[in-house]
Amino acid sequence: MKKALIIMLVGVLIAVIGIGSCIGWYVKTADSMNEMYNYVRKTEADVQTQLQSRFDQVPNLVEIVKGAENHEQGIIDSITEARTQYNKAFSVGDTNGMLEANESLNLAISKFEENYPEVTTTELYKDLMDEYSEIETTLEIARLNYNEAVMEYNNLIGGII
């Protein structure tokens, strides 16, 4: 009788340990799934953040370049117009017209010289391309992280089912 009682107690103990292990596995798996699901959501939000950043930043960068380009184009247009006025005045022998055109040309050139450190459209285009490349690289990394997180989550779910 004692032997049967001991065997029964051992059997109950094994069953309790087995049930406890199953419950522990279930809780651990549920926690892992929840953590992975939250990580997937976070990485998805990171992608959305980078897309929004690109949407916000690129038009601003383009406008900065356009503004510099317009400023520089204005200086070039002033120089071209002054040269045209000078050539017209020269062709008819209008000395006053040539002096006025020369004064306009000098003014346009002095604007160019004063603004030369700021005349940087080419550099701004390069900066725009560098910044855009950086934005795209950051977005690519966010997408890769998202894809990796989804794959890990799917592998976790696949291992349970």
Side-chain angles (χ1 to χ4, degrees):
M1 176 92 169
K2 277 185 161 186
K3 195 173 185 182
L5 183 60
I6 291 175
I7 291 174
M8 191 166 99
L9 286 175
V10 168
V12 168
L13 182 61
I14 290 173
V16 168
I17 290 172
I19 290 171
S21 294
C22 287
I23 291 172
W25 174 84
Y26 175 78
V27 168
K28 181 180 177 191
T29 302
D31 285 348
S32 293
M33 286 177 61
N34 189 46
E35 286 174 16
M36 282 304 302
Y37 177 73
N38 288 337
Y39 184 66
V40 166
R41 289 180 52 211
K42 180 215 172 281
T43 56
E44 181 181 23
D46 290 345
V47 170
Q48 294 300 325
T49 299
Q50 292 306 316
L51 287 170
Q52 185 65 45
S53 175
R54 178 175 66 174
F55 180 78
D56 292 341
Q57 288 181 15
V58 170
N60 292 338
L61 293 170
V62 169
E63 286 304 313
I64 289 168
V65 172
K66 280 183 180 178
E69 185 178 61
N70 289 340
H71 174 71
E72 289 177 23
Q73 188 61 49
I75 293 172
I76 291 167
D77 290 346
S78 297
I79 292 171
T80 303
E81 185 179 326
R83 287 181 61 213
T84 302
Q85 289 173 355
Y86 182 85
N87 287 335
K88 283 181 184 176
F90 180 78
S91 67
V92 294
D94 179 8
T95 307
N96 285 336
M98 289 189 303
L99 289 173
E100 287 175 13
N102 192 47
E103 191 61 36
S104 295
L105 182 61
N106 287 338
L107 182 61
I109 290 173
S110 72
K111 281 184 185 178
F112 179 78
E113 288 173 346
E114 288 172 7
N115 293 307
Y116 182 71
E118 297 172 19
V119 177
T120 56
T121 302
T122 303
E123 189 66 30
L124 285 174
Y125 276 117
K126 182 185 172 298
D127 291 347
L128 168 66
M129 295 311 295
D130 289 347
E131 186 72 25
Y132 185 75
S133 178
E134 186 178 318
I135 291 168
E136 287 300 313
T137 300
T138 305
L139 180 57
E140 180 182 1
I141 291 168
R143 286 176 172 155
L144 289 171
N145 289 341
Y146 172 73
N147 290 339
E148 183 71 24
V150 169
M151 184 180 71
E152 287 180 30
Y153 182 66
N154 288 339
N155 288 342
L156 179 64
I157 290 172
I160 295 171
I161 296 176

